[in-house]
Amino acid sequence: MTPAEAAAALGYPAGHTRRASVRAEAVLRGRRARPYLAAVAKALHARGWTTTSTPPDVQYPRTTCASPPSP
């Protein structure tokens, strides 16, 4: 899904598509970074840099998407 398609799927009016596209790009970038961050967390845990018994979970906040503006 492209950022423009994501903006349309979120219901943004045409005038707000640029702002929605920028936000969608940021969300997609964050989602692509998740596997890398999980690997870093696992490596840090393997080196003893955490205090938990298992590697920490990498969380992606699902509430980061802005809702469509009211008409």
Side-chain angles (χ1 to χ4, degrees), residues 33-46:
R34 184 178 178 152
Y36 167 76
L37 294 174
V40 169
K42 187 176 179 181
L44 291 173
H45 178 75

Side-chain angles (χ1 to χ4, degrees), residues 29-47 50 52 54-60:
R29 240 186 345 268
R31 288 181 182 165
R32 285 191 298 265
R34 184 178 178 152
Y36 167 76
L37 294 174
V40 169
K42 187 176 179 181
L44 291 173
H45 178 75
R47 300 271 191 241
T50 61
T52 59
T54 60
D57 291 329
V58 174
Q59 298 179 7
Y60 183 79

